Amino acid sequence: MKSTTPGLVRASGGAAALVWLAIALLHRDAWPAAGFVVLGVTLGVALALRPVSAVVPRVLLALPHAAFVAASALVAAGVSWWVMHGILRAEPLSIDAAVYLQQARALAHGHFGMPAPLPAQAFADRFLLEGPDGRLYGIFPPGWPLAIAPFVWIGQPMLVGPAVAALLVVAQASLGRAMGLAAGDEDAGELATRVSLLLSLPSFARAFETADLLSHAFVGVLVAFALAGTIRLSLESGTRSRTRTAVLVGACVGWTVAARLLDGLVLAAAVAGVLAWRRAGRRALAQAALGGAPFLLLLLLEQHTATGAWASPTQTLYFQRSDWPPTCHRLGFGPDVGCTVEHPGPVARLGGDGYDVHDGLRVVRERAGSLGEELLGFAPMALLAFAPLVVAASATDAVAVAFVLALTLAYGLFYYGNALFIGARHLFPAAPLLWLLVARGAARVPHRARSGWLDARHARGAAVLVVLAVVGFASRAPWRQRSAEAADFQSSRSDLRRSLFVHGIDRGILKSKDFASVAAAFDPWADGEQRLFVLEDGSGLVELRRAHPDFPVFLSLPEDQLGRLYLTRPPPGVLVELERSWPTFVRPSGLASRLATQEGASGGTVLLVSHAAPGASLVVPFEVAVPGDYELHVDAYAGPEGGDYALELDGAPLPDLAGYAPVVTPLHGEPTHRTLDAGRHVLVARCTGRHPASQGYDARLDALVGAPAEN
């Protein structure tokens, strides 16, 4: 894919370098003095010791291609395995990874959702959504869980991380070879490919992205394979090989869309642009579409099953139930962007005018500024990625640069900033391209045509030595700091399934304060209703104990230890902590709901209803363990911002809630006689107005309480 307009490509390379300088490097933290010292010393040594530098390319090219790639893949998988077992203690680091594991378990059993034991509200958790069929659905697209499912079948789901680490090496090597072939520089391209693999191995981000069951590294694999196939498609002439390549490219793009929607759209645009530019023809586009169709269908089926609508993404519906404003998680700009419950800190930084272009540029700078350090240790080294465009006018490299910039700028549409431990993880799918571009910049460094000082072997060897030395030295800092932070973060956590196994317990209720550990442990297919993992949130989960009165109750302690809770059986009655339905089960309409602390409340928390107006309503489904006749009332709290609410239980009215008081005051509703069956019931709170002195329409709902009715 040689450029026919080298001047234009060189100009675009210079412009791209300036853009990257502006969004990633124009802050003082990007220019560590130690990195420049190592750069200067290594450069001087490499230039002075010509015999040593000149032999470097020969040494790196000594092994056959397959052997070099295989060795790099084994190292990458080994590092990922060590992080997963040694630092993360073989359990997910993030709630996202734990929910991905839940979704993979569901797919491994032929379904998108998971059945919830009785009472269902005990199993509400972050990033879980009750679907129209009563099952629990993770909110993430199904593409990555699909990749985890085979590892669930063999009982080793965490092994998917090291496997992806190895695949990432293979995909990067495939892309490197394709780029070298298209650019007509196979020798320099092979050297660059091998250097890029060496650059990737010490990356802290690479190791942790593959160890934590997150989708970004897997998408990086798909991106690299898709672009490699797209480049090869423009070079192949055989009908059969072109058909095979086009279908595989489409499958990679479709799987990317089904795993990470925004990444998939950027990749689809890149692939379609290259195919159109190279005039691949309608046949190739149709074959690519055919390859991607099964994964797009999987995405639509999952959305329809979980939400009841083909075009309603699970994340959109989840944030409509769990956060405010209802559109807070959408991509783009506006005053309605920014989730005040999920991300209160980042939203506070937006000011009163919401998420605007200025905020988007700040988010891009934060992410891109972290990317260079996390991938290369020394962020300024990323500028070398633009050298192939400026020096060699390589159109192939322009495609890779365009993808890196497009993904970086596209994520400026997502208001949330950097993530825990790995700040630029949203941009990690571009990592194979960035490593390759930096390596190609070193391999295509300007040199003298004749033999002698600074000839091709000397110049390339010196550049490669400098890049490898600086990256190897600088990568020590993020490893030293962030691996210690991650180890400290994991030290107080436990793998709940492993805890029960170690202590020989196969029946009981295990409580934990760690919502990620609870999500990772939940497996209704393996446990049925014999082992139940729930959040210890202070509410007592009395209905769960009533449903299983003979079960022992345990409390998870750090490092897989257990505490035994010697609890007596709960007395007859009903106690439904209404906040336990949030966020998985609640259905708000025209208002927001969330968990809030409340002194004096049972469990210390309430379901806070806010941003309401007359006519707005909240549906709170719950399940009762023991049927019977009860005298029911709703406990709540009145306050200066309280509103008036009409309450209904299963369609029949309960006494109204008058939520205003000059100071926060507990409310106990008038008891109402009701007969309740075991199973699902629905409480509805509908805003009807407010006291003239009230400053709002809020409600603080604590619990539905019932005592056995006297005959």
Side-chain angles (χ1 to χ4, degrees):
M1 217 187 294
K2 296 181 179 179
S3 173
T4 56
T5 55
L8 180 61
V9 173
R10 289 192 174 95
S12 67
L18 291 176
V19 169
W20 190 259
L21 184 67
I23 65 175
L25 299 176
L26 287 185
H27 55 90
R28 61 185 180 183
D29 294 339
W31 306 91
F36 283 102
V37 171
V38 175
L39 175 63
V41 171
T42 309
L43 180 60
V45 171
L47 291 176
L49 300 179
R50 180 183 180 279
V52 175
S53 300
V55 80
V56 168
R58 188 186 309 166
V59 171
L60 292 179
L61 294 172
L63 279 177
H65 175 84
F68 192 95
V69 172
S72 299
L74 285 174
V75 172
V79 172
S80 178
W81 173 273
W82 174 76
V83 170
M84 183 259 288
H85 274 277
I87 298 178
L88 303 189
R89 301 180 60 245
E91 56 186 304
L93 179 67
S94 62
I95 180 63
D96 306 55
V99 174
Y100 276 129
L101 178 55
Q102 286 185 317
Q103 294 182 239
R105 285 184 175 135
L107 283 173
H109 288 85
H111 206 285
F112 293 115
M114 301 160 286
L118 176 76
Q121 69 267 13
F123 303 93
D125 204 347
R126 285 181 62 195
F127 298 156
L128 284 186
L129 175 80
E130 186 190 36
D133 58 357
R135 287 178 173 250
L136 304 183
Y137 292 86
I139 68 169
F140 300 114
W144 174 227
L146 180 65
I148 304 174
F151 294 86
V152 173
W153 290 334
I154 65 174
Q156 295 291 333
M158 296 299 288
L159 270 180
V160 70
V164 169
L167 269 178
L168 196 59
V169 167
V170 176
Q172 187 172 322
S174 176
L175 178 59
R177 271 205 152 180
M179 292 175 70
L181 184 65
D185 60 352
E186 289 88 344
D187 291 340
E190 179 63 19
L191 176 63
T193 298
R194 299 189 182 201
V195 172
S196 76
L197 298 181
L198 295 178
L199 291 177
S200 72
L201 296 181
S203 167
F204 167 88
R206 176 202 181 90
F208 275 73
E209 283 289 342
T210 55
D212 189 28
L213 288 186
L214 289 170
S215 60
H216 309 86
F218 179 66
V219 171
V221 171
L222 296 175
V223 166
F225 276 134
L227 292 179
T230 304
I231 293 170
R232 290 185 180 277
L233 192 62
S234 67
L235 303 174
E236 292 173 343
S237 57
T239 302
R240 181 175 296 180
S241 62
R242 283 176 59 83
T243 298
R244 182 174 59 251
T245 302
V247 170
L248 291 176
V249 167
C252 288
V253 174
W255 205 339
T256 301
V257 174
R260 298 193 62 81
L261 300 179
L262 182 57
D263 305 48
L265 293 177
V266 174
L267 178 60
V271 169
V274 173
L275 293 180
W277 171 45
R278 299 299 297 176
R279 299 179 181 178
R282 295 180 181 179
R283 184 184 181 89
L285 292 174
Q287 291 163 345
L290 182 65
F295 300 99
L296 300 180
L297 179 60
L298 176 75
L299 175 63
L300 292 175
L301 283 173
E302 190 256 0
Q303 288 184 170
H304 182 267
T305 307
T307 68
W310 292 101
S312 179
T314 50
Q315 291 191 34
T316 298
L317 182 58
Y318 173 79
F319 282 99
Q320 288 173 355
R321 292 186 182 183
S322 67
D323 224 311
W324 189 264
T327 55
C328 67
H329 200 253
R330 72 172 178 85
L331 295 177
F333 306 106
D336 63 326
V337 176
C339 296
T340 56
V341 176
E342 181 70 21
H343 302 134
V347 171
R349 298 174 63 187
L350 302 181
D353 58 347
Y355 189 61
D356 56 24
V357 175
H358 177 268
D359 295 312
L361 291 175
R362 173 179 51 78
V363 169
V364 167
R365 285 196 297 269
E366 289 177 355
R367 289 205 176 105
S370 298
L371 187 65
E373 180 209 11
E374 292 171 357
L375 299 186
L376 301 166
F378 183 57
M381 190 63 69
L383 286 175
L384 196 58
F386 306 96
L389 276 70
V390 177
V391 174
S394 170
T396 304
D397 295 282
V399 173
V401 167
F403 180 86
V404 173
L405 288 179
L407 187 68
T408 301
L409 295 174
Y411 266 103
L413 299 174
F414 180 33
Y415 77 94
Y416 184 49
N418 283 0
L420 186 67
F421 303 119
I422 308 170
R425 70 176 15 156
H426 294 91
L427 305 183
F428 188 82
L433 282 71
L434 196 60
W435 284 317
L436 274 165
L437 287 167
V438 170
R440 286 177 64 81
R444 302 191 68 167
V445 66
H447 53 82
R448 294 177 56 184
R450 303 187 306 274
S451 61
W453 198 78
L454 271 188
D455 62 0
R457 288 190 301 166
H458 184 195
R460 287 176 179 173
V464 167
L465 272 179
V466 170
V467 169
L468 292 178
V470 172
V471 169
F473 173 84
S475 295
R476 293 164 56 250
W479 270 101
R480 184 170 55 246
Q481 176 185 349
R482 300 188 193 182
S483 60
E485 293 173 351
D488 181 66
F489 183 81
Q490 293 288 84
S491 64
S492 61
R493 307 175 68 197
S494 290
D495 182 314
L496 304 187
R497 303 190 68 81
R498 186 171 61 211
S499 297
L500 293 184
F501 176 79
V502 168
H503 293 276
I505 298 169
D506 56 10
R507 181 173 177 269
I509 299 170
L510 178 54
K511 299 182 177 183
S512 172
K513 294 182 181 294
D514 182 2
F515 48 79
S517 293
V518 170
F522 185 66
D523 188 348
W525 293 277
D527 301 322
E529 295 197 9
Q530 296 302 302
R531 295 190 297 181
L532 303 173
F533 303 95
V534 293
L535 283 170
E536 169 52 52
D537 58 0
S539 67
L541 299 171
V542 175
E543 289 302 302
L544 180 64
R545 292 172 50 222
R546 286 188 173 123
H548 306 278
D550 298 324
F551 275 24
V553 182
F554 304 93
L555 181 65
S556 174
L557 300 175
E559 297 184 354
D560 298 344
Q561 297 302 307
L562 295 179
R564 178 106 183 215
L565 300 179
Y566 294 95
L567 301 174
T568 59
R569 292 189 179 188
V574 172
L575 177 59
V576 178
E577 298 287 350
L578 298 174
E579 67 270 19
R580 284 300 303 135
S581 293
W582 185 89
T584 302
F585 297 95
V586 297
R587 275 100 166 156
S589 177
L591 50 75
S593 65
R594 66 179 176 89
L595 202 69
T597 58
Q598 178 63 61
E599 184 178 355
S602 60
T605 55
V606 295
L607 181 62
L608 173 63
V609 178
S610 60
H611 301 284
S617 64
L618 178 69
V619 176
V620 186
F622 62 91
E623 291 185 337
V624 170
V626 181
D629 292 338
Y630 298 101
E631 297 292 333
L632 298 172
H633 70 273
V634 173
D635 284 343
Y637 281 80
E641 298 180 345
D644 298 333
Y645 283 79
L647 303 179
E648 293 180 359
L649 179 60
D650 297 333
L654 294 175
D656 293 346
L657 173 67
Y660 170 74
V663 295
V664 176
T665 305
L667 298 176
H668 300 283
E670 180 182 346
T672 302
H673 182 273
R674 289 289 172 84
T675 299
L676 297 181
D677 297 328
R680 181 62 61 99
H681 299 272
V682 177
L683 178 70
V684 179
R686 183 172 289 104
C687 182
T688 59
R690 65 182 178 184
H691 189 279
S694 177
Q695 302 174 21
Y697 294 93
D698 292 358
R700 289 179 172 266
L701 305 176
D702 185 7
L704 178 69
V705 183
E710 297 182 1
N711 294 328

